[in-house]
């Protein structure tokens, strides 16, 4: 039993399925990353050996047709790589349905990088799109933010609009500056004053 069990375990150890990896390099033109498997290898005496770099691993966007959420990985990200059960090199080269490039199976060379793992990355994101219990929160790294709640959309930061057509209400507690003309089919009312060309 023991020799057979040992042989089975050795064979299973060569089967790659899902790996936690660290991003070593990013090619945003080819949409690939170079990664290193995060869990070291151990020999029979529990001596550890780090994995080498796996090159040109495709990474994914949330994409359908001509639409996509474009999120490129960054060097240092800790993320998930899934491994195909067959050689995908011919599909990568032709970008079409193809035969396996070789007879290899469950090999890390046929991995696809999915996304980062927030709990394993050392830095917190500085910009995001977040679905909350009350709506949507969109924040940019420079501080501008757009949030949705029960009372409507709220902007934090400056807003530049090239063409504006209103059918609802805009409240601007901080004021605003308009570089173009303003036309209204209703009445312009100022609770304090209306000043035109310096004249009250």
């Amino acid at each position: 039993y023991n020799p057979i069990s040992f042989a089975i375990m050795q064979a299973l150890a060569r089967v790659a399925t899902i790996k936690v990896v660290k991003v070593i390099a990013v090619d945003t033109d080819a949409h690939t990353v170079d990664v290193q498997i995060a869990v070291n290898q151990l020999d029979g005496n529990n001596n550890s050996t780090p994995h080498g770099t796996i090159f040109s691993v495709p990474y994914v966007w949330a994409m359908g047709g001509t639409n996509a959420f474009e999120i490129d990985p960054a060097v240092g990200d800790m993320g998930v790589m899934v491994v195909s059960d067959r050689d995908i090199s011919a599909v990568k080269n032709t970008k079409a349905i193809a035969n396996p490039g070789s007879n290899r199976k469950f090999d890390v060379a046929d991995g696809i990088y999915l996304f980062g793992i927030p709990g394993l990355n050392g830095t917190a994101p500085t910009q995001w799109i977040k679905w909350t219990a009350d709506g949507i929160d969109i924040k940019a790294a420079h501080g501008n933010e757009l949030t949705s709640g029960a009372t409507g959309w709220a902007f934090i930061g400056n807003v530049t609009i090239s063409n504006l057509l209103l059918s609802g209400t805009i409240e601007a507690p901080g004021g605003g500056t308009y570089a173009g003309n303003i036309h209204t089919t209703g009445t312009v009312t100022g609770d304090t004053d209306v000043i035109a060309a310096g004249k009250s």
Side-chain angles (χ1 to χ4, degrees):
Y1 170 83
N2 288 337
I4 293 174
S5 176
F6 177 80
I8 292 173
M9 295 304 295
Q10 289 296 100
L12 287 176
R14 298 176 60 87
V15 174
T17 53
I18 297 176
K19 301 288 187 181
V20 176
V21 297
K22 183 177 182 178
V23 175
I24 305 300
V26 181
D27 186 338
T28 55
D29 294 327
H31 301 292
T32 61
V33 290
D34 300 340
V35 300
Q36 181 181 15
I37 296 174
V39 180
N40 291 334
Q41 305 168 94
L42 292 178
D43 63 16
N45 294 319
N46 284 329
N47 298 311
S48 67
T49 302
H51 288 268
T53 302
I54 305 166
F55 298 96
S56 300
V57 176
Y59 63 81
V60 303
W61 285 343
M63 184 172 181
T66 57
N67 308 299
F69 284 101
E70 301 184 10
I71 305 176
D72 296 322
V75 172
D77 283 355
M78 297 285 282
V80 175
M81 181 180 76
V82 296
V83 179
S84 175
D85 61 344
R86 294 293 187 272
D87 183 349
I88 63 172
S89 59
V91 174
K92 289 164 63 176
N93 291 332
T94 63
K95 297 177 176 58
I97 295 175
N99 293 332
S102 69
N103 290 325
R104 71 184 179 213
K105 298 177 176 66
F106 297 102
D107 194 287
V108 291
D110 301 307
I112 297 176
Y113 182 80
L114 296 185
F115 36 67
I117 305 172
L120 299 184
N121 283 309
T123 57
T126 58
Q127 56 186 4
W128 57 76
I129 300 175
K130 182 189 300 183
W131 277 260
T132 68
D134 197 38
I136 300 173
D137 182 15
I138 303 172
K139 183 171 183 178
H142 42 66
N144 291 340
E145 190 168 0
L146 171 62
T147 58
S148 171
T151 58
W153 288 97
F155 290 92
I156 298 175
N158 297 325
V159 178
T160 301
I161 303 174
S162 57
N163 292 290
L164 178 63
L165 178 62
L166 291 179
S167 59
T169 301
I170 288 183
E171 294 182 6
T177 300
Y178 302 89
N181 298 323
I182 296 176
H183 171 79
T184 176
T185 58
T187 301
V188 176
T189 301
D191 290 343
T192 303
D193 197 0
V194 176
I195 300 175
K199 295 181 180 181
S200 174

